Amino acid sequence: MIPRELQEIIKKRASQFPFVAVTGPRQSGKSTLLRNIFKDYDYVSLEDLDERDLAERDPRAFIRMHPDKVILDEAQRVPGLFSYLQTHTDEVGRTGMYILSGSQNFLLMEKLGQSLAGRVALLDLLPFSHSELKAAGMLPPSLDEEIFTGGYPRIFDKEIPPTDFYPSYLRTYVERDLRTLKNVGNLNLFVKFLKLCAGRIGQLLNESSLANECGVSTPTINSWLSVLEASFILYRLRPDFRNFNKRVVKTPKLYFYDTGLACSLLEIDSASQLKSHFARGSLFENLVINEFMKSSLNQGKEPRLSFWRDNVGHEVDLIQDLGGKPYAYEIKSAETFNWEFLDNLNFWGKISGYPHEQKAVLYAGAKEMSLTEANVIPWNKLTF
């Protein structure tokens, strides 16, 4: 098993809370990681019909059979069980009693908030990060290969070509997860919506445009976006509202949690196809922002990420808040540095007053430079 950076945080939280809940997309490695960490725990999957039936019909009997040191996989399948588990753990009073995992965050988080507030540590596990693959010696051979391959563990564990993995993954997700949701009716239309979202990576979200192209209402688009966010398929990067006496954009941008999945939706069939693809720059930007997100989540922290854009088009691709300070990043897929990469950072620095140490260009080149205006850093040499 490739070591996961979240592992030590999970262990620590299990020593502090009676419940630890690890959520993330399907097949991001949650079950494998938890079973590796908690080898002496019973493993119960609530996908198993017999276990699920017992948990639903007689939760007290289920708890008597599994009173302590239990991994409950796909815990969102029986949300009514949480209230009984809460009473049981309150009576016993130990930490690390139940480790919960689930891939349907929209169901799991609602019930956890209602039943286990204050008793559960919440953590997210995303597909492999660049640093995890590098440490394991399993990095794809090129940047385009890394974008195209994505980070889902099964691709690396079973050596499955991305062109085989992602179509099957999408079918499983759509047919298995979404058909149970009342707010997703026409699944074929929903897949079209997914592909349209992939074509808008890094762009300002325009719900009306998506609604028109799909032939549905704007509220339906917002509902579908919420489902995709809760399922760890895509996320909305919020705008930074610091205006520095400038009118700023208040519309979020769309990004996918995995670039390999986005490539599949864009019908990209090989890494070589990326070289001339219209979305390459956006996919590179997505890859880099994902690394910031994974770094925070793998430390058990909430990502504090945004972008900044004013109403006349000046834009900073990524703002990261660290220790109360904003750090601004311009992200470029070019392998050669161009002084124009500094234009938006210089504008932002001038109106904000923040020093050059809080500005950087992240690019696909190999040369690191410390300039008067900003630092220039190869994206794969970035340290968090």
Side-chain angles (χ1 to χ4, degrees):
M1 189 191 85
I2 294 179
R4 305 304 302 267
E5 293 171 351
L6 188 61
Q7 181 168 325
E8 295 306 314
I9 298 297
I10 294 174
K11 290 180 182 178
K12 183 177 180 180
R13 296 293 185 269
S15 71
Q16 298 169 325
F17 293 85
F19 297 91
V20 176
V22 180
T23 60
R26 283 197 176 278
Q27 299 186 34
S28 62
K30 300 182 295 298
S31 300
T32 301
L33 175 60
L34 295 177
R35 296 183 79 168
N36 184 265
I37 295 173
F38 303 101
K39 290 184 172 69
D40 59 335
Y41 277 49
D42 291 337
Y43 174 81
V44 179
S45 174
L46 291 177
E47 293 282 15
D48 185 297
L49 292 177
D50 291 336
E51 294 284 7
R52 192 193 313 171
D53 187 59
L54 177 62
E56 289 175 335
R57 292 175 180 271
D58 196 344
R60 290 187 175 87
F62 180 88
I63 291 172
R64 284 195 299 271
M65 291 178 63
H66 308 290
D68 194 7
K69 290 190 172 184
V70 183
I71 299 169
L72 287 180
D73 203 358
E74 296 301 333
Q76 78 280 348
R77 293 290 183 183
V78 190
L81 181 62
F82 295 152
S83 294
Y84 293 92
L85 290 173
Q86 176 220 310
T87 302
H88 172 63
T89 56
D90 285 353
E91 290 174 352
V92 176
R94 284 198 293 269
T95 58
M97 293 182 66
Y98 290 93
I99 311 299
L100 313 176
S101 72
S103 55
Q104 292 183 355
N105 203 31
F106 41 86
L107 298 175
L108 183 58
M109 296 306 296
E110 178 185 0
K111 297 302 178 182
L112 290 179
Q114 292 172 358
S115 303
L116 304 181
R119 300 170 178 85
V120 59
L122 304 173
L123 299 168
D124 295 328
L125 181 69
L126 297 182
F128 288 139
S129 67
H130 176 87
S131 56
E132 286 173 329
L133 289 172
K134 183 178 181 180
M138 298 186 72
L139 273 177
S142 69
L143 169 60
D144 286 343
E145 288 282 358
E146 187 164 354
I147 292 172
F148 177 70
T149 303
Y152 279 91
R154 184 170 288 273
I155 290 176
F156 298 89
D157 181 42
K158 303 298 182 183
E159 297 183 355
I160 303 174
T163 48
D164 292 337
F165 175 82
Y166 287 108
S168 297
Y169 183 90
L170 282 165
R171 282 198 301 271
T172 301
Y173 168 69
V174 171
E175 293 172 4
R176 182 177 180 176
D177 290 351
L178 294 185
R179 67 182 178 185
T180 64
L181 300 176
K182 295 179 181 178
N183 53 354
V184 177
N186 187 326
L187 293 180
N188 290 330
L189 190 58
F190 188 82
V191 171
K192 177 183 178 181
F193 165 70
L194 264 173
K195 292 182 177 183
L196 289 171
C197 288
R200 287 165 166 77
I201 287 174
Q203 297 180 19
L204 296 177
L205 175 60
N206 187 329
E207 295 96 334
S208 297
S209 173
L210 285 168
N212 289 335
E213 290 199 51
C214 291
V216 298
S217 67
T218 300
T220 295
I221 293 297
N222 281 314
S223 176
W224 287 356
L225 286 169
S226 296
V227 169
L228 290 171
E229 285 183 298
S231 305
F232 297 96
I233 299 296
L234 57 72
Y235 58 93
R236 284 176 268 201
L237 185 68
R238 64 179 177 84
D240 187 284
F241 292 123
R242 282 170 282 217
N243 59 32
F244 311 117
N245 295 321
K246 293 282 182 179
R247 293 183 62 188
V248 294
V249 167
K250 299 182 179 180
T251 304
K253 288 183 175 184
L254 278 182
Y255 293 96
F256 276 69
Y257 278 104
D258 188 83
T259 57
L261 181 59
C263 284
S264 181
L265 288 165
L266 289 167
E267 300 179 359
I268 297 172
D269 298 321
S270 67
S272 61
Q273 193 178 335
L274 275 169
K275 296 186 184 300
S276 59
H277 199 276
F278 76 90
R280 185 182 186 274
S282 299
L283 288 164
F284 174 75
E285 183 179 312
N286 198 156
L287 180 74
V288 173
I289 293 175
N290 283 354
E291 289 304 308
F292 279 83
M293 180 167 291
K294 290 174 183 178
S295 175
S296 294
L297 293 176
N298 288 340
Q299 297 174 56
K301 299 176 182 178
E302 187 72 21
R304 296 179 179 176
L305 306 176
S306 60
F307 72 96
W308 183 89
R309 179 170 176 161
D310 67 15
N311 65 326
V312 294
H314 296 109
E315 181 175 332
V316 174
D317 294 323
L318 183 66
I319 303 288
Q320 182 185 36
D321 279 338
L322 288 176
K325 294 181 180 179
Y327 289 79
Y329 299 93
E330 185 76 6
I331 302 171
K332 296 293 184 183
S333 62
E335 296 182 12
T336 302
F337 174 75
N338 187 314
W339 287 95
E340 292 180 359
F341 295 170
L342 297 171
D343 289 350
N344 283 329
L345 287 175
N346 286 337
F347 180 84
W348 181 84
K350 181 178 179 180
I351 64 172
S352 69
Y354 291 115
H356 77 278
E357 292 87 357
Q358 289 172 235
K359 299 181 293 179
V361 173
L362 304 178
Y363 77 129
K367 187 175 182 180
E368 190 168 355
M369 296 177 279
S370 181
L371 306 178
T372 303
E373 297 96 327
N375 295 314
V376 179
I377 307 171
W379 79 275
N380 54 6
K381 294 183 180 179
L382 186 66
T383 55
F384 294 95

